[in-house]
Amino acid sequence: MNLAASSRGNFGVLSQCSSSRCSLQFQPLVVATSSLGFGQRGITRRKKELKLFRVQRKRETFCRANDTQTEPDGNNDEESGEEDKEALADEPPSQTPPTELVPEATVVNEAVGSNEENKAQFSSQDGDKLEVSTGSPLPGVNPLQLDESMRLPKETIDILKDQVFGFDTFFVTSQEPYEGGVLFKGNLRGQPAKSYEKIKTRLENKFGDQYKLFLLSNPEDDKPVAVVVPRRSLEPETTAVPEWFAAGSFGLVALFTLFLRNVPALQSDLLSAFDNLELLKDGLPGALVTALVLGVHELGHVLVASSLGIKLGVPFFVPSWQIGSFGAITRIKNIVPKREDLLKVAAAGPLAGFALGFVLFLVGLVVPPSDGIGVVVDSSVFHESFLVGGIAKLLLGDVLKEGTSISLNPLVIWAWAGLLINGINSIPAGELDGGRIAFAIWGRKASTRLTGASIALLGLSALFSDVAFYWVVLIFFLQRGPIAPLAEEITEPEEKFVYLGIFVLFLSLLVCLPYPFAFTVEDAMMTGL
């Protein structure tokens, strides 16, 4: 046994804390005696043990500075050792008997234990301040139930602040808890798209694919915020019923309603359709044309999404007694990179559906019915759509008069149904195609306001139209949003894509708004009277 090991803790510290003057004196409290076999000059140097003496008026407090509390690196050990040797050589040894050191050591140990408990408690309090397991969820995302492995530790947060973010990208000024992660507030530097890519690259270099970065706009002040969450918390929940099975069931019902919509004899009594299945064959052409328009609509979404690396779920076709189908609800399965990508995907479907429906509608107006009779309708039906009524007036001329019946190619009605389905899906509300377009063009806050306004207008229209009533119910319960966050929501789309999105919204408006003008001058004069 050496002396350094046997006398650990026998250097006392006295500190004069009652006054502003504090004198520090190093003095050994261990003396070599003859019974220990050591001479006064045989004292061995004890490494890294300090003795600070703190003198108080009527009270002395002993505490120990243990060498395990601080561990100098490299050459600091040698320099400290040389300084201690010189100090010990110059100072005379103390004559305090060893028996008096027992109570002092006890006091020292108690003081050290209390100090360590205070440090542990302080560390625990710091950890509570950085707790990030609760907070507002990302809009449109339902995070999984978080466990300890999904929560960001303090060390990770420090690395994010000091090494992932920076002066050249996003200067962090404050942070807040976010569901399983952290929301960072600060100042965005440079172009958002380039800064996002830099931060994303640094994040992947540090943590691989463990965390997901979002660069969003704070709805409170419209300032950029950065959100980092564990990828595991964004994994979609599994459902009891397979997606393809549920989508197939909805598709069969929608196909039945498409057949039923094109058989007027069965619309007055829906239950009679099961007793007259042969009559459903008469609705086959109309069902196929409308389904073709819907299919091209969904195909436009799929092709553009595939080219951008965006994964879409199986489309759920919503049945409708009035027009055969309300279209399809298609879920975006992964995170869309930016607003321009969302705009491209959302606008592709309506553009494809509008294009095909418009062509078929023109063909139906120009080509006479094959049997010479076709379908006979009242001219007033063309007042239900501004686009359809305007084109019909332009091509049919004076044939279109108020209060008269007109024979049309059934293709006009079938194509019109396809245009209407595209139009109502392009209304700027919620997670409809029009809602996603509005979000991509004007941002989250503006799209939320447009959703509220659209639902309110549809609610008023529901007083006069059963189609509007069912549609507003569908939007409110299934499609009102919010839209899931994009990876980077700050950068606006290119101008040409903005114009394209506005064109889709304008077409939707033309299809859904009524045609307010009279078809002929005589009709206008009669209306004026």
Side-chain angles (χ1 to χ4, degrees):
M1 174 182 289
N2 55 41
L3 179 62
S6 62
S7 61
R8 185 177 302 273
N10 294 334
F11 280 80
V13 180
L14 284 95
S15 175
Q16 183 176 354
C17 302
S18 59
S19 65
S20 59
R21 288 184 246 174
C22 183
S23 60
L24 302 181
Q25 178 183 4
F26 293 88
Q27 178 178 353
L29 297 181
V30 178
V31 182
T33 60
S34 57
S35 59
L36 293 175
F38 291 97
Q40 292 182 354
R41 299 190 180 185
I43 299 177
T44 305
R45 155 77 173 65
R46 294 184 57 201
K47 285 187 177 181
K48 296 175 289 180
E49 294 191 348
L50 304 177
K51 36 188 179 46
L52 295 172
F53 289 88
R54 195 180 296 176
V55 180
Q56 196 174 0
R57 291 180 180 178
K58 295 183 180 181
R59 180 178 175 187
E60 292 182 354
T61 305
F62 289 87
C63 47
R64 178 182 66 179
N66 199 326
D67 57 351
T68 59
Q69 294 179 0
T70 58
E71 296 181 2
D73 297 331
N75 298 329
N76 294 336
D77 292 341
E78 298 178 0
E79 296 175 358
S80 175
E82 293 176 358
E83 294 176 356
D84 291 343
K85 286 180 180 180
E86 294 175 0
L88 289 172
D90 297 334
E91 294 174 358
S94 173
Q95 300 298 326
T96 307
T99 55
E100 297 179 0
L101 298 178
V102 176
E104 295 175 358
T106 304
V107 174
V108 169
N109 292 334
E110 290 177 357
V112 172
S114 176
N115 190 27
E116 292 176 352
E117 290 176 2
N118 292 336
K119 288 185 177 181
Q121 184 178 1
F122 179 77
S123 301
S124 175
Q125 292 175 354
D126 285 349
D128 293 338
K129 292 179 182 179
L130 296 175
E131 180 64 44
V132 294
S133 61
T134 60
S136 302
L138 292 169
V141 175
N142 297 320
L144 298 177
Q145 185 66 32
L146 301 174
D147 55 23
E148 293 296 333
S149 62
M150 291 186 185
R151 298 175 180 176
L152 270 67
K154 179 181 180 299
E155 294 78 9
T156 300
I157 298 175
D158 292 338
I159 294 175
L160 291 173
K161 291 172 59 178
D162 301 334
Q163 302 181 30
V164 175
F165 299 102
F167 286 97
D168 59 333
T169 55
F170 187 88
F171 178 68
V172 177
T173 57
S174 63
Q175 66 190 53
E176 296 179 3
Y178 226 63
E179 195 75 36
V182 183
L183 181 147
F184 296 98
K185 294 183 178 181
N187 301 319
L188 181 64
R189 307 297 176 88
Q191 298 180 2
K194 293 183 178 180
S195 297
Y196 175 83
E197 290 300 326
K198 289 181 180 179
I199 299 172
K200 178 183 175 184
T201 300
R202 294 171 185 172
L203 182 66
E204 292 175 349
N205 291 338
K206 289 292 181 182
F207 301 101
D209 200 34
Q210 188 176 357
Y211 298 105
K212 176 61 182 176
L213 170 69
F214 295 90
L215 190 60
L216 312 175
S217 179
N218 192 341
E220 298 178 356
D221 52 14
D222 293 330
K223 293 183 178 180
V225 294
V227 180
V228 179
V229 295
R231 285 186 180 271
R232 291 176 56 193
S233 65
L234 301 176
E235 294 177 358
E237 297 180 358
T238 58
T239 57
V241 180
E243 187 178 36
W244 62 267
F245 180 80
S249 302
F250 273 85
L252 290 176
V253 178
L255 186 62
F256 174 75
T257 56
L258 283 173
F259 275 97
L260 195 63
R261 167 68 179 77
N262 292 280
V263 183
L266 297 178
Q267 292 179 9
S268 58
D269 188 4
L270 299 179
L271 297 179
S272 64
F274 297 98
D275 299 328
N276 301 277
L277 296 178
E278 311 84 30
L279 294 178
L280 289 177
K281 296 179 181 179
D282 298 336
L284 180 61
L288 290 179
V289 171
T290 307
L292 178 63
V293 176
L294 295 180
V296 170
H297 177 114
E298 294 303 318
L299 184 61
H301 286 313
V302 172
L303 292 178
V304 175
S306 178
S307 66
L308 296 174
I310 299 173
K311 299 178 181 179
L312 301 179
V314 182
F316 285 74
F317 288 92
V318 182
S320 167
W321 302 118
Q322 295 84 9
I323 56 177
S325 174
F326 280 129
I329 298 175
T330 305
R331 183 171 59 92
I332 298 178
K333 300 177 68 174
N334 60 344
I335 298 173
V336 179
K338 54 186 178 180
R339 286 162 57 180
E340 185 175 298
D341 292 344
L342 181 65
L343 177 56
K344 292 177 181 178
V345 174
L351 284 174
F354 276 131
L356 179 59
F358 185 71
V359 170
L360 294 177
F361 180 76
L362 292 179
V363 171
L365 287 178
V366 174
V367 177
S370 58
D371 58 357
I373 300 177
V375 57
V376 179
V377 298
D378 191 277
S379 298
S380 61
V381 298
F382 288 99
H383 281 292
E384 296 182 4
S385 171
F386 193 98
L387 179 65
V388 171
I391 295 175
K393 174 57 185 173
L394 182 65
L395 296 180
L396 298 179
D398 293 337
V399 176
L400 200 62
K401 295 182 179 181
E402 299 287 350
T404 61
S405 297
I406 184 173
S407 177
L408 297 172
N409 190 323
L411 189 60
V412 173
I413 306 300
W414 302 336
W416 188 352
L419 288 173
L420 180 58
I421 296 172
N422 275 274
I424 59 180
N425 274 278
S426 300
I427 294 175
E431 294 187 88
L432 301 178
D433 292 333
R436 289 170 175 170
I437 291 173
F439 173 89
I441 296 176
W442 296 296
R444 186 175 297 277
K445 181 181 291 186
S447 66
T448 302
R449 293 171 179 172
L450 282 174
T451 296
S454 299
I455 292 178
L457 291 175
L458 282 173
L460 294 176
S461 302
L463 299 176
F464 311 99
S465 171
D466 56 347
V467 174
F469 172 77
Y470 286 108
W471 192 237
V472 73
V473 171
L474 180 66
I475 294 175
F476 185 80
F477 287 103
L478 297 180
Q479 292 286 87
R480 72 176 184 270
I483 296 175
L486 314 185
E488 193 267 290
E489 294 187 3
I490 309 299
T491 304
E492 297 180 355
E494 290 186 28
E495 197 172 76
K496 59 181 179 180
F497 296 112
V498 171
Y499 290 146
L500 199 63
I502 294 176
F503 177 68
V504 171
L505 298 179
F506 183 68
L507 282 179
S508 170
L509 197 64
L510 292 180
V511 170
C512 296
L513 287 179
Y515 184 81
F517 308 109
F519 293 127
T520 62
V521 177
E522 292 80 4
D523 294 336
M525 294 177 61
M526 292 180 63
T527 304
L529 294 175

